[in-house]
Amino acid sequence: MRAASRSRRASTGRDVARLLADFGHEASPAPMPTKQEREPRVFRPTSTKGPRAAGRGWAPAKAPVATWRMTSDQAPAFWPFIPTPALPPTGAQMGIDVASGAAFHCDPLGWVVRGDVPISNPNIMCFGKPGMGKSGTTKAFVLRMMDFGYRALILGDTKDEYEGVCRFLGVEPIALGAGLGARVNPLALGPLAHGWEQLDAVEAQRRAQSVFSRWLTLIRALVGSQQIGENLVPFGPSDEAVVRTALADLTGYAAGATSLAETTLPGLWHALDNPAPEMVAATRFENTRQFMDSTRLLRDALGQLVNGALAGMFDAHTNVDIDWLAPIQSLSLSRLPQEAVGIALTCLGSWSAGQREVVSRADQRVVVRDEAWRQLRLGPEAVKAFDADMRLSRGFAGTGGDIQYAVAHKPSDLLSAGDEGSVAQTIARDMLHLADIKILHGQGPKVAGELDEILGLGPLAVHAITTWARQEPGRAVWQVGDRMYKVATVLHPLEAALANTNTGIESAR
């Protein structure tokens, strides 16, 4: 009886299909399972026991090889140099990317405006041991960028390495030194002084702020480079107020002149050494004696510069006519004593910044700063001045276009600006990142370790710098943003002759 009852209940039930049909719907048929197609073989299978002949696939045993399948984004974890995305073929063709075999081009300002190249500024820093090809790479870059409308400014040729390049291009380099006729005024007003009488009050104030800020950065660096025993001369807010007031008086800006008068470092020194009553009152000193006592270190430091290291070079108005339309201009410092080179580089940096404050879009320039470490060793204020110059390229990129190209032997040259953990060293370390393009020629293991610590190169890049790059001049690891490229610079025979820095050694043999 119970079995029959269960059978009747089971037979009277409706499945889902019947239920849907009773209400006027039709159930869709269940999909038939599809057969999964196997992916095609990437490699053609070959028997390890094939014919024993060349290219026939014979092997005595199976190789323990693991197969990996990954995207191009994951592949750099295994082969950092091989799958690096290629850079666009624009700008100077520098040589061969040995990882891909393709030509390697360098176009810093072009890279900045592109979204597919990970850099935000066009500056370049070049490191390498002597004889590893820094000079050849630099000169090749300068010469080849001229084909794209760039001009070059060699801001302090400390070893006369660029005299041959200048004369090859029909330009006579400018030599600075005691007893020579050339003068460059670091307090030159520059193009911002042009048309001052037609400016409204707002624009005149903006230009004056730019000019005085540049001058104060220079004076701070020059004064801060002088020493009292083992300590550097301080330059505080009171000193800055005194110098700014003196410069405003000397140029006529304080009196509301319609055009500014150019002054010099000796003019500034004499104005502070013989202060007018108006200056004493404007700087809030009670009397001249208090002014003289409070500014003694400042005045002595400026006097030492005028009568000592900078005598006969930067102590008068500029008397050289620089043709900014020429393909290259070079300021030679090889005739200076070694202790004066850093100070001269600081002055030239300020002067060149003043000359470049108003540039046209067509005026693109490569500014080469050789032996940059000499300036950085002058102290924190000199480091800040160099840092300001490096930052200017970003602003010039929107109007004309400056590529700051700094050359040094090793990163410790820059980090020697101060003691470990000091403000100067911190600025110098951060300044390495103001150049998104680094050219790393051959180095020893210790220096390569320093580069790895600062730049995060990784073991493969360090190995390339200490082995492959040292086997032949011109080889270098290029760090473009966070990308690495192994590049061998290829020089034309004429470029190789112009880049030869061993001429003096060879002629002495």
Side-chain angles (χ1 to χ4, degrees), residues 2-48:
R2 292 178 181 174
S5 176
R6 283 198 301 269
S7 177
R8 284 196 299 271
R9 285 198 299 269
S11 62
T12 57
R14 292 180 293 178
D15 57 11
V16 175
R18 179 63 182 274
L19 181 64
L20 290 174
D22 290 345
F23 286 92
H25 300 285
E26 183 178 353
S28 59
M32 297 296 293
T34 57
K35 185 178 179 181
Q36 294 283 342
E37 293 186 4
R38 297 184 61 183
E39 293 184 1
R41 291 182 178 273
V42 179
F43 302 102
R44 197 171 179 180
T46 304
S47 172
T48 59

mmCIF file of all heavy atoms in Angstrom, residues 2-48:
data_model
loop_
_atom_site.group_PDB
_atom_site.id
_atom_site.type_symbol
_atom_site.label_atom_id
_atom_site.label_comp_id
_atom_site.label_asym_id
_atom_site.label_seq_id
_atom_site.Cartn_x
_atom_site.Cartn_y
_atom_site.Cartn_z
ATOM 1 N N ARG A 2 1.879 1.276 0.859
ATOM 2 C CA ARG A 2 2.772 2.422 0.910
ATOM 3 C C ARG A 2 3.561 2.572 -0.380
ATOM 4 O O ARG A 2 3.802 3.679 -0.875
ATOM 5 C CB ARG A 2 3.720 2.285 2.083
ATOM 6 C CG ARG A 2 3.030 2.395 3.424
ATOM 7 C CD ARG A 2 4.027 2.198 4.523
ATOM 8 N NE ARG A 2 3.382 2.274 5.825
ATOM 9 C CZ ARG A 2 3.998 2.017 6.975
ATOM 10 N NH1 ARG A 2 5.282 1.674 6.953
ATOM 11 N NH2 ARG A 2 3.347 2.100 8.123
ATOM 12 N N ALA A 3 4.048 1.449 -0.971
ATOM 13 C CA ALA A 3 4.800 1.503 -2.220
ATOM 14 C C ALA A 3 3.942 2.067 -3.334
ATOM 15 O O ALA A 3 4.386 2.862 -4.172
ATOM 16 C CB ALA A 3 5.313 0.105 -2.583
ATOM 17 N N ALA A 4 2.678 1.618 -3.399
ATOM 18 C CA ALA A 4 1.783 2.122 -4.442
ATOM 19 C C ALA A 4 1.543 3.610 -4.294
ATOM 20 O O ALA A 4 1.460 4.351 -5.259
ATOM 21 C CB ALA A 4 0.451 1.350 -4.380
ATOM 22 N N SER A 5 1.380 4.047 -3.026
ATOM 23 C CA SER A 5 1.171 5.486 -2.775
ATOM 24 C C SER A 5 2.365 6.299 -3.228
ATOM 25 O O SER A 5 2.231 7.352 -3.849
ATOM 26 C CB SER A 5 0.899 5.704 -1.284
ATOM 27 O OG SER A 5 0.784 7.085 -1.028
ATOM 28 N N ARG A 6 3.546 5.771 -2.924
ATOM 29 C CA ARG A 6 4.754 6.502 -3.367
ATOM 30 C C ARG A 6 4.834 6.531 -4.882
ATOM 31 O O ARG A 6 5.246 7.515 -5.480
ATOM 32 C CB ARG A 6 5.997 5.829 -2.764
ATOM 33 C CG ARG A 6 6.209 6.166 -1.300
ATOM 34 C CD ARG A 6 7.632 5.853 -0.895
ATOM 35 N NE ARG A 6 7.941 4.438 -1.108
ATOM 36 C CZ ARG A 6 7.770 3.499 -0.172
ATOM 37 N NH1 ARG A 6 7.254 3.832 1.016
ATOM 38 N NH2 ARG A 6 8.076 2.244 -0.420
ATOM 39 N N SER A 7 4.488 5.466 -5.570
ATOM 40 C CA SER A 7 4.535 5.406 -7.029
ATOM 41 C C SER A 7 3.575 6.409 -7.640
ATOM 42 O O SER A 7 3.889 7.077 -8.612
ATOM 43 C CB SER A 7 4.208 3.983 -7.492
ATOM 44 O OG SER A 7 4.184 3.938 -8.906
ATOM 45 N N ARG A 8 2.332 6.510 -7.038
ATOM 46 C CA ARG A 8 1.374 7.462 -7.574
ATOM 47 C C ARG A 8 1.861 8.905 -7.404
ATOM 48 O O ARG A 8 1.719 9.730 -8.286
ATOM 49 C CB ARG A 8 0.011 7.267 -6.879
ATOM 50 C CG ARG A 8 -0.736 6.039 -7.377
ATOM 51 C CD ARG A 8 -2.202 6.137 -6.945
ATOM 52 N NE ARG A 8 -2.332 6.180 -5.515
ATOM 53 C CZ ARG A 8 -2.448 5.075 -4.776
ATOM 54 N NH1 ARG A 8 -2.423 3.870 -5.332
ATOM 55 N NH2 ARG A 8 -2.598 5.167 -3.472
ATOM 56 N N ARG A 9 2.455 9.180 -6.223
ATOM 57 C CA ARG A 9 2.970 10.543 -6.005
ATOM 58 C C ARG A 9 4.098 10.878 -6.979
ATOM 59 O O ARG A 9 4.205 11.974 -7.500
ATOM 60 C CB ARG A 9 3.446 10.698 -4.557
ATOM 61 C CG ARG A 9 2.304 10.823 -3.575
ATOM 62 C CD ARG A 9 2.804 11.401 -2.251
ATOM 63 N NE ARG A 9 3.806 10.551 -1.637
ATOM 64 C CZ ARG A 9 3.476 9.576 -0.764
ATOM 65 N NH1 ARG A 9 2.199 9.350 -0.457
ATOM 66 N NH2 ARG A 9 4.418 8.843 -0.207
ATOM 67 N N ALA A 10 4.962 9.867 -7.240
ATOM 68 C CA ALA A 10 6.070 10.102 -8.163
ATOM 69 C C ALA A 10 5.579 10.320 -9.575
ATOM 70 O O ALA A 10 6.086 11.143 -10.328
ATOM 71 C CB ALA A 10 7.053 8.926 -8.105
ATOM 72 N N SER A 11 4.548 9.552 -9.989
ATOM 73 C CA SER A 11 4.068 9.648 -11.367
ATOM 74 C C SER A 11 3.283 10.925 -11.607
ATOM 75 O O SER A 11 3.173 11.390 -12.731
ATOM 76 C CB SER A 11 3.205 8.415 -11.703
ATOM 77 O OG SER A 11 2.068 8.403 -10.848
ATOM 78 N N THR A 12 2.690 11.474 -10.581
ATOM 79 C CA THR A 12 1.911 12.705 -10.766
ATOM 80 C C THR A 12 2.770 13.970 -10.719
ATOM 81 O O THR A 12 2.266 15.046 -11.017
ATOM 82 C CB THR A 12 0.839 12.807 -9.672
ATOM 83 O OG1 THR A 12 1.490 12.766 -8.403
ATOM 84 C CG2 THR A 12 -0.147 11.653 -9.775
ATOM 85 N N GLY A 13 4.019 13.865 -10.348
ATOM 86 C CA GLY A 13 4.881 15.059 -10.287
ATOM 87 C C GLY A 13 5.275 15.558 -11.682
ATOM 88 O O GLY A 13 5.220 14.823 -12.672
ATOM 89 N N ARG A 14 5.649 16.843 -11.793
ATOM 90 C CA ARG A 14 6.063 17.452 -13.058
ATOM 91 C C ARG A 14 7.513 17.927 -12.941
ATOM 92 O O ARG A 14 7.893 18.550 -11.942
ATOM 93 C CB ARG A 14 5.154 18.615 -13.400
ATOM 94 C CG ARG A 14 3.738 18.201 -13.754
ATOM 95 C CD ARG A 14 2.898 19.415 -14.078
ATOM 96 N NE ARG A 14 2.686 20.271 -12.901
ATOM 97 C CZ ARG A 14 2.018 21.425 -12.924
ATOM 98 N NH1 ARG A 14 1.539 21.863 -14.080
ATOM 99 N NH2 ARG A 14 1.844 22.125 -11.828
ATOM 100 N N ASP A 15 8.253 17.626 -14.008
ATOM 101 C CA ASP A 15 9.633 18.143 -14.003
ATOM 102 C C ASP A 15 9.612 19.602 -14.466
ATOM 103 O O ASP A 15 8.562 20.155 -14.790
ATOM 104 C CB ASP A 15 10.530 17.280 -14.888
ATOM 105 C CG ASP A 15 10.020 17.198 -16.331
ATOM 106 O OD1 ASP A 15 9.110 17.979 -16.673
ATOM 107 O OD2 ASP A 15 10.562 16.381 -17.096
ATOM 108 N N VAL A 16 10.801 20.207 -14.530
ATOM 109 C CA VAL A 16 10.899 21.639 -14.858
ATOM 110 C C VAL A 16 10.406 21.912 -16.265
ATOM 111 O O VAL A 16 9.691 22.893 -16.532
ATOM 112 C CB VAL A 16 12.354 22.119 -14.686
ATOM 113 C CG1 VAL A 16 12.508 23.570 -15.142
ATOM 114 C CG2 VAL A 16 12.792 21.986 -13.239
ATOM 115 N N ALA A 17 10.763 21.009 -17.199
ATOM 116 C CA ALA A 17 10.340 21.222 -18.589
ATOM 117 C C ALA A 17 8.817 21.193 -18.709
ATOM 118 O O ALA A 17 8.204 22.022 -19.407
ATOM 119 C CB ALA A 17 10.975 20.153 -19.486
ATOM 120 N N ARG A 18 8.154 20.203 -18.042
ATOM 121 C CA ARG A 18 6.699 20.102 -18.112
ATOM 122 C C ARG A 18 6.031 21.293 -17.427
ATOM 123 O O ARG A 18 5.022 21.829 -17.902
ATOM 124 C CB ARG A 18 6.258 18.794 -17.441
ATOM 125 C CG ARG A 18 4.746 18.560 -17.407
ATOM 126 C CD ARG A 18 4.181 18.443 -18.831
ATOM 127 N NE ARG A 18 2.748 18.272 -18.793
ATOM 128 C CZ ARG A 18 2.149 17.075 -18.661
ATOM 129 N NH1 ARG A 18 2.891 15.974 -18.539
ATOM 130 N NH2 ARG A 18 0.841 16.956 -18.667
ATOM 131 N N LEU A 19 6.618 21.711 -16.336
ATOM 132 C CA LEU A 19 6.069 22.857 -15.607
ATOM 133 C C LEU A 19 6.114 24.114 -16.470
ATOM 134 O O LEU A 19 5.154 24.895 -16.538
ATOM 135 C CB LEU A 19 6.846 23.057 -14.310
ATOM 136 C CG LEU A 19 6.381 24.202 -13.407
ATOM 137 C CD1 LEU A 19 4.961 23.934 -12.914
ATOM 138 C CD2 LEU A 19 7.324 24.361 -12.223
ATOM 139 N N LEU A 20 7.239 24.344 -17.155
ATOM 140 C CA LEU A 20 7.348 25.522 -18.016
ATOM 141 C C LEU A 20 6.387 25.422 -19.193
ATOM 142 O O LEU A 20 5.774 26.420 -19.619
ATOM 143 C CB LEU A 20 8.793 25.666 -18.525
ATOM 144 C CG LEU A 20 9.843 26.063 -17.484
ATOM 145 C CD1 LEU A 20 11.237 26.019 -18.088
ATOM 146 C CD2 LEU A 20 9.556 27.466 -16.954
ATOM 147 N N ALA A 21 6.195 24.159 -19.730
ATOM 148 C CA ALA A 21 5.279 23.970 -20.868
ATOM 149 C C ALA A 21 3.848 24.253 -20.466
ATOM 150 O O ALA A 21 3.053 24.801 -21.254
ATOM 151 C CB ALA A 21 5.422 22.545 -21.416
ATOM 152 N N ASP A 22 3.436 23.877 -19.256
ATOM 153 C CA ASP A 22 2.081 24.146 -18.789
ATOM 154 C C ASP A 22 1.773 25.633 -18.743
ATOM 155 O O ASP A 22 0.614 26.043 -18.861
ATOM 156 C CB ASP A 22 1.863 23.520 -17.410
ATOM 157 C CG ASP A 22 1.821 21.985 -17.485
ATOM 158 O OD1 ASP A 22 1.668 21.455 -18.610
ATOM 159 O OD2 ASP A 22 1.973 21.338 -16.423
ATOM 160 N N PHE A 23 2.794 26.452 -18.561
ATOM 161 C CA PHE A 23 2.588 27.905 -18.484
ATOM 162 C C PHE A 23 2.984 28.601 -19.782
ATOM 163 O O PHE A 23 3.189 29.811 -19.834
ATOM 164 C CB PHE A 23 3.405 28.488 -17.324
ATOM 165 C CG PHE A 23 2.816 28.168 -15.980
ATOM 166 C CD1 PHE A 23 3.213 27.035 -15.279
ATOM 167 C CD2 PHE A 23 1.845 29.002 -15.426
ATOM 168 C CE1 PHE A 23 2.664 26.740 -14.052
ATOM 169 C CE2 PHE A 23 1.302 28.716 -14.192
ATOM 170 C CZ PHE A 23 1.686 27.576 -13.495
ATOM 171 N N GLY A 24 3.122 27.809 -20.856
ATOM 172 C CA GLY A 24 3.369 28.400 -22.168
ATOM 173 C C GLY A 24 4.814 28.740 -22.448
ATOM 174 O O GLY A 24 5.096 29.563 -23.326
ATOM 175 N N HIS A 25 5.750 28.161 -21.741
ATOM 176 C CA HIS A 25 7.169 28.429 -21.975
ATOM 177 C C HIS A 25 7.851 27.153 -22.419
ATOM 178 O O HIS A 25 7.378 26.049 -22.163
ATOM 179 C CB HIS A 25 7.842 28.966 -20.714
ATOM 180 C CG HIS A 25 7.238 30.249 -20.223
ATOM 181 N ND1 HIS A 25 7.440 31.472 -20.827
ATOM 182 C CD2 HIS A 25 6.396 30.487 -19.166
ATOM 183 C CE1 HIS A 25 6.784 32.404 -20.191
ATOM 184 N NE2 HIS A 25 6.122 31.829 -19.165
ATOM 185 N N GLU A 26 9.020 27.336 -23.053
ATOM 186 C CA GLU A 26 9.779 26.180 -23.523
ATOM 187 C C GLU A 26 11.196 26.265 -22.976
ATOM 188 O O GLU A 26 11.861 27.294 -23.122
ATOM 189 C CB GLU A 26 9.804 26.153 -25.042
ATOM 190 C CG GLU A 26 10.528 24.923 -25.600
ATOM 191 C CD GLU A 26 10.491 24.894 -27.109
ATOM 192 O OE1 GLU A 26 9.813 25.742 -27.710
ATOM 193 O OE2 GLU A 26 11.162 24.027 -27.687
ATOM 194 N N ALA A 27 11.598 25.227 -22.335
ATOM 195 C CA ALA A 27 12.952 25.215 -21.762
ATOM 196 C C ALA A 27 13.981 25.060 -22.870
ATOM 197 O O ALA A 27 13.797 24.265 -23.793
ATOM 198 C CB ALA A 27 13.088 24.074 -20.751
ATOM 199 N N SER A 28 15.058 25.878 -22.811
ATOM 200 C CA SER A 28 16.134 25.760 -23.803
ATOM 201 C C SER A 28 16.904 24.481 -23.562
ATOM 202 O O SER A 28 17.096 24.050 -22.423
ATOM 203 C CB SER A 28 17.078 26.967 -23.689
ATOM 204 O OG SER A 28 17.618 27.037 -22.394
ATOM 205 N N PRO A 29 17.317 23.841 -24.638
ATOM 206 C CA PRO A 29 18.053 22.583 -24.457
ATOM 207 C C PRO A 29 19.395 22.827 -23.782
ATOM 208 O O PRO A 29 19.988 23.897 -23.922
ATOM 209 C CB PRO A 29 18.229 22.084 -25.899
ATOM 210 C CG PRO A 29 18.152 23.322 -26.740
ATOM 211 C CD PRO A 29 17.171 24.228 -26.048
ATOM 212 N N ALA A 30 19.825 21.851 -23.051
ATOM 213 C CA ALA A 30 21.129 21.961 -22.379
ATOM 214 C C ALA A 30 22.234 22.002 -23.424
ATOM 215 O O ALA A 30 22.194 21.264 -24.403
ATOM 216 C CB ALA A 30 21.322 20.767 -21.439
ATOM 217 N N PRO A 31 23.218 22.920 -23.237
ATOM 218 C CA PRO A 31 24.311 23.013 -24.228
ATOM 219 C C PRO A 31 25.143 21.742 -24.223
ATOM 220 O O PRO A 31 25.432 21.164 -23.181
ATOM 221 C CB PRO A 31 25.112 24.227 -23.745
ATOM 222 C CG PRO A 31 24.810 24.331 -22.301
ATOM 223 C CD PRO A 31 23.401 23.855 -22.134
ATOM 224 N N MET A 32 25.490 21.366 -25.427
ATOM 225 C CA MET A 32 26.354 20.198 -25.564
ATOM 226 C C MET A 32 27.781 20.579 -25.208
ATOM 227 O O MET A 32 28.258 21.664 -25.561
ATOM 228 C CB MET A 32 26.284 19.678 -27.005
ATOM 229 C CG MET A 32 24.904 19.202 -27.424
ATOM 230 S SD MET A 32 24.353 17.781 -26.453
ATOM 231 C CE MET A 32 25.517 16.561 -27.027
ATOM 232 N N PRO A 33 28.445 19.753 -24.477
ATOM 233 C CA PRO A 33 29.849 20.068 -24.126
ATOM 234 C C PRO A 33 30.713 20.135 -25.373
ATOM 235 O O PRO A 33 30.609 19.276 -26.252
ATOM 236 C CB PRO A 33 30.240 18.901 -23.209
ATOM 237 C CG PRO A 33 29.308 17.791 -23.558
ATOM 238 C CD PRO A 33 28.014 18.436 -23.949
ATOM 239 N N THR A 34 31.537 21.219 -25.435
ATOM 240 C CA THR A 34 32.432 21.378 -26.588
ATOM 241 C C THR A 34 33.802 20.812 -26.253
ATOM 242 O O THR A 34 34.269 20.894 -25.117
ATOM 243 C CB THR A 34 32.590 22.869 -26.939
ATOM 244 O OG1 THR A 34 33.071 23.570 -25.797
ATOM 245 C CG2 THR A 34 31.241 23.461 -27.357
ATOM 246 N N LYS A 35 34.402 20.298 -27.240
ATOM 247 C CA LYS A 35 35.720 19.697 -27.048
ATOM 248 C C LYS A 35 36.784 20.801 -26.993
ATOM 249 O O LYS A 35 36.835 21.675 -27.859
ATOM 250 C CB LYS A 35 36.025 18.755 -28.200
ATOM 251 C CG LYS A 35 37.334 17.997 -28.020
ATOM 252 C CD LYS A 35 37.567 17.039 -29.185
ATOM 253 C CE LYS A 35 38.894 16.303 -29.013
ATOM 254 N NZ LYS A 35 39.146 15.384 -30.137
ATOM 255 N N GLN A 36 37.572 20.787 -25.927
ATOM 256 C CA GLN A 36 38.632 21.778 -25.764
ATOM 257 C C GLN A 36 39.749 21.500 -26.772
ATOM 258 O O GLN A 36 40.316 20.406 -26.805
ATOM 259 C CB GLN A 36 39.211 21.724 -24.333
ATOM 260 C CG GLN A 36 38.233 22.142 -23.262
ATOM 261 C CD GLN A 36 38.077 23.654 -23.229
ATOM 262 O OE1 GLN A 36 38.908 24.366 -23.761
ATOM 263 N NE2 GLN A 36 37.008 24.115 -22.596
ATOM 264 N N GLU A 37 40.043 22.545 -27.596
ATOM 265 C CA GLU A 37 41.132 22.374 -28.553
ATOM 266 C C GLU A 37 42.467 22.627 -27.877
ATOM 267 O O GLU A 37 42.605 23.576 -27.106
ATOM 268 C CB GLU A 37 40.958 23.341 -29.720
ATOM 269 C CG GLU A 37 39.746 23.051 -30.579
ATOM 270 C CD GLU A 37 39.716 23.955 -31.809
ATOM 271 O OE1 GLU A 37 40.693 24.717 -31.984
ATOM 272 O OE2 GLU A 37 38.745 23.879 -32.564
ATOM 273 N N ARG A 38 43.396 21.807 -28.170
ATOM 274 C CA ARG A 38 44.741 21.976 -27.603
ATOM 275 C C ARG A 38 45.461 23.126 -28.305
ATOM 276 O O ARG A 38 45.323 23.321 -29.512
ATOM 277 C CB ARG A 38 45.547 20.683 -27.765
ATOM 278 C CG ARG A 38 44.965 19.497 -27.005
ATOM 279 C CD ARG A 38 45.867 18.289 -27.137
ATOM 280 N NE ARG A 38 47.171 18.559 -26.595
ATOM 281 C CZ ARG A 38 48.183 17.692 -26.633
ATOM 282 N NH1 ARG A 38 48.021 16.508 -27.212
ATOM 283 N NH2 ARG A 38 49.340 18.000 -26.114
ATOM 284 N N GLU A 39 46.212 23.860 -27.514
ATOM 285 C CA GLU A 39 46.994 24.949 -28.086
ATOM 286 C C GLU A 39 48.075 24.370 -29.000
ATOM 287 O O GLU A 39 48.628 23.300 -28.724
ATOM 288 C CB GLU A 39 47.664 25.775 -26.986
ATOM 289 C CG GLU A 39 46.673 26.530 -26.131
ATOM 290 C CD GLU A 39 47.383 27.412 -25.119
ATOM 291 O OE1 GLU A 39 48.634 27.420 -25.132
ATOM 292 O OE2 GLU A 39 46.689 28.062 -24.334
ATOM 293 N N PRO A 40 48.351 25.081 -30.079
ATOM 294 C CA PRO A 40 49.408 24.569 -30.966
ATOM 295 C C PRO A 40 50.751 24.543 -30.259
ATOM 296 O O PRO A 40 51.032 25.360 -29.393
ATOM 297 C CB PRO A 40 49.394 25.578 -32.127
ATOM 298 C CG PRO A 40 48.795 26.809 -31.545
ATOM 299 C CD PRO A 40 47.787 26.352 -30.532
ATOM 300 N N ARG A 41 51.569 23.609 -30.651
ATOM 301 C CA ARG A 41 52.882 23.487 -30.041
ATOM 302 C C ARG A 41 53.748 24.700 -30.429
ATOM 303 O O ARG A 41 53.771 25.124 -31.588
ATOM 304 C CB ARG A 41 53.579 22.213 -30.510
ATOM 305 C CG ARG A 41 52.940 20.933 -29.975
ATOM 306 C CD ARG A 41 53.724 19.732 -30.452
ATOM 307 N NE ARG A 41 53.175 18.504 -29.936
ATOM 308 C CZ ARG A 41 53.509 17.981 -28.755
ATOM 309 N NH1 ARG A 41 54.388 18.604 -27.997
ATOM 310 N NH2 ARG A 41 52.957 16.860 -28.350
ATOM 311 N N VAL A 42 54.415 25.230 -29.414
ATOM 312 C CA VAL A 42 55.332 26.340 -29.676
ATOM 313 C C VAL A 42 56.586 25.833 -30.374
ATOM 314 O O VAL A 42 57.117 26.457 -31.307
ATOM 315 C CB VAL A 42 55.691 27.061 -28.367
ATOM 316 C CG1 VAL A 42 56.661 28.208 -28.641
ATOM 317 C CG2 VAL A 42 54.425 27.596 -27.705
ATOM 318 N N PHE A 43 57.071 24.683 -29.916
ATOM 319 C CA PHE A 43 58.269 24.102 -30.491
ATOM 320 C C PHE A 43 57.926 22.744 -31.095
ATOM 321 O O PHE A 43 57.115 21.989 -30.554
ATOM 322 C CB PHE A 43 59.358 23.926 -29.432
ATOM 323 C CG PHE A 43 59.743 25.203 -28.768
ATOM 324 C CD1 PHE A 43 59.287 25.519 -27.496
ATOM 325 C CD2 PHE A 43 60.548 26.120 -29.422
ATOM 326 C CE1 PHE A 43 59.631 26.699 -26.888
ATOM 327 C CE2 PHE A 43 60.897 27.306 -28.816
ATOM 328 C CZ PHE A 43 60.443 27.602 -27.552
ATOM 329 N N ARG A 44 58.524 22.485 -32.187
ATOM 330 C CA ARG A 44 58.296 21.215 -32.862
ATOM 331 C C ARG A 44 58.959 20.088 -32.076
ATOM 332 O O ARG A 44 60.147 20.191 -31.738
ATOM 333 C CB ARG A 44 58.884 21.287 -34.264
ATOM 334 C CG ARG A 44 58.376 20.209 -35.189
ATOM 335 C CD ARG A 44 58.831 20.497 -36.600
ATOM 336 N NE ARG A 44 58.383 19.490 -37.512
ATOM 337 C CZ ARG A 44 58.644 19.498 -38.811
ATOM 338 N NH1 ARG A 44 59.345 20.501 -39.308
ATOM 339 N NH2 ARG A 44 58.197 18.537 -39.580
ATOM 340 N N PRO A 45 58.229 19.015 -31.753
ATOM 341 C CA PRO A 45 58.846 17.944 -30.976
ATOM 342 C C PRO A 45 59.942 17.230 -31.765
ATOM 343 O O PRO A 45 59.808 16.996 -32.969
ATOM 344 C CB PRO A 45 57.673 17.010 -30.674
ATOM 345 C CG PRO A 45 56.690 17.278 -31.760
ATOM 346 C CD PRO A 45 56.828 18.728 -32.096
ATOM 347 N N THR A 46 61.008 16.971 -31.075
ATOM 348 C CA THR A 46 62.144 16.284 -31.688
ATOM 349 C C THR A 46 62.608 15.184 -30.762
ATOM 350 O O THR A 46 62.753 15.404 -29.561
ATOM 351 C CB THR A 46 63.306 17.261 -31.960
ATOM 352 O OG1 THR A 46 62.816 18.317 -32.772
ATOM 353 C CG2 THR A 46 64.449 16.573 -32.666
ATOM 354 N N SER A 47 62.825 14.051 -31.303
ATOM 355 C CA SER A 47 63.290 12.927 -30.497
ATOM 356 C C SER A 47 64.729 13.157 -30.068
ATOM 357 O O SER A 47 65.565 13.627 -30.851
ATOM 358 C CB SER A 47 63.188 11.623 -31.291
ATOM 359 O OG SER A 47 63.792 10.562 -30.586
ATOM 360 N N THR A 48 64.988 12.860 -28.799
ATOM 361 C CA THR A 48 66.364 12.993 -28.314
ATOM 362 C C THR A 48 67.270 11.911 -28.875
ATOM 363 O O THR A 48 68.484 11.995 -28.736
ATOM 364 C CB THR A 48 66.379 12.916 -26.780
ATOM 365 O OG1 THR A 48 65.812 11.663 -26.369
ATOM 366 C CG2 THR A 48 65.584 14.049 -26.181
#
